[in-house]
Amino acid sequence: MKKLLVATALLSTTLLSGCIVAVSDGEMRHYNSNWEATHESNREKISNLTLGTTYKDVIKQFDTPDFTEAVSKDGHTYQVLYFATNSKHSDGKTTKDECTPLVFKDKKLIGFGQSAVDNYL
């Protein structure tokens, strides 16, 4: 019986060696194979943004954000969109520290980068 279990385990390991099982807890997102092009495109788009641009106009320029946050503070609504711009880990997943945040106040872009998040939120 032990030999059968060992043989089954070895066979299963060999057959499943090409499979990847990933679980996301909301703090990371899996990327497709062209992540470098996506990061470069996001950096270029962000560098061309103008403060005061509407949320709707900005979202039209980008693919789906990697992360989003929203909060109401002092009677205003703040939204933060995170777009992947710089890979720090070679694990095929995106974390917030690999993204550039875009900060909106009442649906108008008021800043981007971590300093904007720190300043407004």
Side-chain angles (χ1 to χ4, degrees):
M1 183 65 160
K2 282 186 179 179
K3 289 182 180 179
L4 178 61
L5 288 174
V6 170
T8 302
L10 288 174
L11 181 60
S12 297
T13 303
T14 303
L15 293 174
L16 294 176
S17 65
C19 295
I20 297 173
V21 178
V23 178
S24 176
D25 63 357
E27 286 298 315
M28 56 184 67
R29 183 173 183 195
H30 298 280
Y31 247 141
N32 57 21
S33 61
N34 66 351
W35 61 269
E36 289 172 320
T38 301
H39 289 203
E40 184 177 341
S41 174
N42 286 345
R43 285 192 304 270
E44 183 178 335
K45 290 173 186 175
I46 290 169
S47 71
N48 290 314
L49 288 175
T50 303
L51 296 181
T53 304
T54 66
Y55 176 90
K56 187 176 179 179
D57 288 338
V58 169
I59 204 73
K60 284 180 188 177
Q61 297 178 43
F62 290 86
D63 290 329
T64 303
D66 292 281
F67 303 96
T68 60
E69 297 176 344
V71 64
S72 182
K73 180 179 170 185
D74 299 326
H76 298 282
T77 300
Y78 292 87
Q79 294 171 285
V80 184
L81 305 180
Y82 292 85
F83 292 98
T85 54
N86 57 330
S87 179
K88 293 182 180 181
H89 316 288
S90 299
D91 57 6
K93 301 171 187 171
T94 299
T95 55
K96 281 186 182 176
D97 66 336
E98 298 174 317
C99 296
T100 299
L102 308 182
V103 181
F104 296 83
K105 178 181 177 184
D106 299 326
K107 300 205 182 254
K108 298 277 185 176
L109 183 66
I110 59 170
F112 49 87
Q114 190 58 47
S115 59
V117 173
D118 295 343
N119 188 46
Y120 294 107
L121 302 173

